[in-house]
Amino acid sequence: MTSLIGTLNGFFWGPAMLILIGGAGIFFTLYLKAFQFRRFGDMWKRILDKGDSDSGVSAFASFCTTMAMRVGTGNVAGVAVAVYAGGPGALFWMVLIGITNSAVNFVECVQGSLYKIKVDGEYRGGPYYVAERGLGWGPYGAFIAVISLLGIGLFMPSAATNTVCVTFAQATGAPQVVFAAIMAIIMFVTILGGIKRISAAASAIVPFMVAVYLIVFVIVVIMNIGETGRVFGDIFRCAFSADALLSGGIGVAIQQGVKRGTFSSASGMGEATPTAAAAETTHPVKVGLANAAGVWLDTVIVCTASGLMILYSDCYNTAFGYVGSGHPGLAELSGGSAVMVQYAATTVMGGFAEIFIAFMLFLFSFTCLISYYYEAETASTYLFQKDNQAGARKAVTWFLRIAMPILIFYYGIIGASLAWDLADLALGSITFFNMLVVILLIKPVGAMLKDYEEQMKAGKDPVYDPDKLSFKGVDVEMWKEINAKQLAAK
């Protein structure tokens, strides 16, 4: 099984994926005239858009739910794995791919919001809806929904769960099975409440956990500020050339940077589109901008914080033979893991740091898990979306509510390597097939951004009018209902 998963990962994460994600990010950035820089301030303002309803959640709740998925295991353990396997230079390429991935995420989130529909009184959207309604590819949409249901619901939780259990075991000495059971129970209780409870939990946890984590990062950097020249020298040298102990050259650095940067933000995978579609908004571009800001926060800021923590404190190893001197435990540590970040924090917080980082990882990973559940539920809703399939929708929903906690318990006790391989396989396969849809429907996104910017230039709060600008597959009547008051006033 491990051999098969490794072979499949070699295919999905080979040069084709690097070109697909990196190339699409550059193309979208150019096609949309570098909107992530032109509308940088506007991106962050859209996070705080208010307004929700019985059908959808507020933009802030949607953003927090999406960030719950993004700011997770990849931001801590994933960065450590990238530095171990690709050297310090991987951090440079991770930040660069984060900037271009914000364009990828913007495009897919605008598409998700534009082509959403109502099912059982709630907004539903995702890459499968976009494929069916935007391109008329019903069977392909069903295919993406199946691999999303299996990949996100059953395999993606593996890395997040395993990392939490490993770091708590490292910090407390208790067996991993104890923490696996605790996570499974908390997960089951939370997902019983559906999107409202999930978004409420995310809104309460995400701002706190990101703020506290960044404060620790600042303290670590200040305490090691004299290492700035060495750190950035290593990053830029290893980003473009090989170093006997630190890196394997530019190819390895790019591969790890793109792989882990994409894992962290999940741009192109369609993970963010269900929660983007769930947002109550007057214009799809507003949701796209908020999610683009989320990629900056996730990859450009939080991932950089993790990477610089371990580099400044010299608490990292590499696959090429380097063993840092920042903590004695590094000599016995094989492979990259969140333990590196635990060691980095101990340089300024002492022994308390290990339990602190384990707790932060629990928050990061738990919010990931509840987002994974919602995305899997949305995929299942798509597969059984007809009015006469309400019973099937309910049955699959309960299957997920029971199966995911059981799998979370299992993932908490398996080997770390298998856990990460499973998550990488899920991410790689879904992204590979979803990006075709995202690329082919770039024109509607360009038109929507132009419409949004024209209204902003005129001093108006942008409102989507489907009579003025519509595309095949858009639910015109739903959008007229959403913006009835604004359109009537207009």
Side-chain angles (χ1 to χ4, degrees):
M1 180 178 178
T2 301
S3 177
L4 174 62
I5 293 171
T7 301
L8 291 173
N9 273 329
F11 169 75
F12 285 119
W13 287 106
M17 177 65 82
L18 305 184
I19 295 171
L20 181 64
I21 291 293
I26 294 171
F27 169 67
F28 292 162
T29 297
L30 295 175
Y31 185 84
L32 300 173
K33 300 176 182 178
F35 80 94
Q36 64 265 58
F37 299 103
R38 292 188 299 105
R39 308 215 66 86
F40 187 79
D42 195 16
M43 287 195 310
W44 298 96
K45 291 178 183 177
R46 288 305 171 194
I47 294 172
L48 301 177
D49 279 353
K50 298 179 180 179
D52 57 7
S53 67
D54 292 337
S55 300
V57 298
S58 69
F60 180 71
S62 173
F63 170 80
C64 287
T65 306
T66 304
M67 288 306 298
M69 168 269 295
R70 287 201 183 107
V71 181
T73 313
N75 297 82
V76 182
V79 174
V81 169
V83 172
Y84 173 80
L91 190 61
F92 171 84
W93 295 106
M94 186 180 294
V95 171
L96 190 62
I97 201 68
I99 294 172
T100 57
N101 269 351
S102 66
V104 175
N105 197 252
F106 170 80
V107 171
E108 60 182 348
C109 286
V110 172
Q111 292 170 349
S113 181
L114 178 64
Y115 293 105
K116 68 184 179 183
I117 63 172
K118 267 188 183 181
V119 180
D120 295 335
E122 292 184 350
Y123 297 133
R124 293 285 187 176
Y128 16 90
Y129 289 98
V130 176
E132 178 188 352
R133 302 181 69 83
L135 294 174
W137 293 4
Y140 194 77
F143 171 69
I144 294 178
V146 170
I147 62 174
S148 296
L149 173 61
L150 297 176
I152 298 176
L154 304 183
F155 296 129
M156 281 294 285
S158 57
T161 304
N162 188 266
T163 300
V164 170
C165 295
V166 167
T167 52
F168 265 109
Q170 166 74 21
T172 65
Q176 290 179 216
V177 66
V178 173
F179 305 107
I182 292 172
M183 288 192 71
I185 293 170
I186 297 176
M187 179 68 178
F188 179 72
V189 172
T190 303
I191 62 179
L192 283 178
I195 183 58
K196 291 291 185 178
R197 183 178 294 176
I198 290 170
S199 62
S203 299
I205 295 172
V206 169
F208 166 78
M209 73 182 190
V210 172
V212 172
Y213 191 71
L214 292 179
I215 289 171
V216 174
F217 153 68
V218 171
I219 294 173
V220 171
V221 170
I222 290 175
M223 295 295 289
N224 296 279
I225 197 66
E227 300 295 318
T228 300
R230 173 188 65 81
V231 168
F232 283 92
D234 288 345
I235 290 173
F236 288 106
R237 185 176 74 256
C238 296
F240 298 99
S241 63
D243 183 289
L245 292 177
L246 292 181
S247 72
I250 184 171
V252 178
I254 292 175
Q255 182 191 44
Q256 288 300 318
V258 172
K259 186 176 183 179
R260 292 303 157 203
T262 301
F263 185 98
S264 176
S265 69
S267 297
M269 184 185 184
E271 267 194 344
T273 52
T275 46
E280 188 71 65
T281 185
T282 60
H283 201 292
V285 169
K286 292 181 179 179
V287 177
L289 289 172
N291 278 275
V295 176
W296 278 76
L297 177 59
D298 165 79
T299 308
V300 180
I301 297 177
V302 180
C303 282
T304 301
S306 295
L308 290 180
M309 267 200 282
I310 63 178
L311 294 179
Y312 265 92
S313 61
D314 199 24
C315 288
Y316 72 100
N317 297 345
T318 71
F320 314 99
Y322 182 79
V323 177
S325 59
H327 192 283
L330 289 165
E332 300 177 1
L333 186 65
S334 61
S337 74
V339 175
M340 289 181 183
V341 182
Q342 285 180 304
Y343 287 166
T346 60
T347 62
V348 295
M349 299 173 65
F352 171 72
E354 290 194 3
I355 191 68
F356 170 78
I357 294 297
F359 178 70
M360 293 305 300
L361 258 177
F362 168 74
L363 294 181
F364 280 22
S365 300
F366 177 70
T367 53
C368 266
L369 295 176
I370 59 177
S371 293
Y372 291 157
Y373 165 77
Y374 178 68
E375 287 142 29
E377 181 189 280
T378 301
S380 69
T381 300
Y382 170 83
L383 291 170
F384 302 99
Q385 60 182 290
K386 295 180 180 178
D387 291 339
N388 63 355
Q389 294 177 318
R393 286 198 298 273
K394 186 175 292 186
V396 175
T397 296
W398 274 103
F399 167 76
L400 286 171
R401 289 175 177 177
I402 295 171
M404 280 192 68
I406 293 173
L407 281 171
I408 283 170
F409 175 78
Y410 169 70
Y411 291 143
I413 58 177
I414 65 174
S417 178
L418 177 58
W420 276 95
D421 284 348
L422 284 170
D424 280 343
L425 177 59
L427 175 66
S429 58
I430 299 171
T431 302
F432 197 85
F433 294 111
N434 179 58
M435 278 302 296
L436 175 63
V437 177
V438 176
I439 292 170
L440 290 177
L441 284 173
I442 180 61
K443 282 190 175 181
V445 177
M448 294 297 290
L449 179 59
K450 182 181 179 181
D451 176 65
Y452 173 89
E453 292 187 320
E454 287 174 350
Q455 293 186 60
M456 287 289 288
K457 189 175 182 180
K460 302 175 182 178
D461 179 26
V463 173
Y464 174 47
D465 183 352
D467 284 337
K468 174 187 174 184
L469 184 65
S470 189
F471 309 92
K472 176 185 175 182
V474 171
D475 190 332
V476 172
E477 295 306 315
M478 181 198 70
W479 275 107
K480 285 183 177 181
E481 180 185 340
I482 291 173
N483 292 328
K485 186 182 296 185
Q486 293 91 333
L487 293 177
K490 179 180 176 181

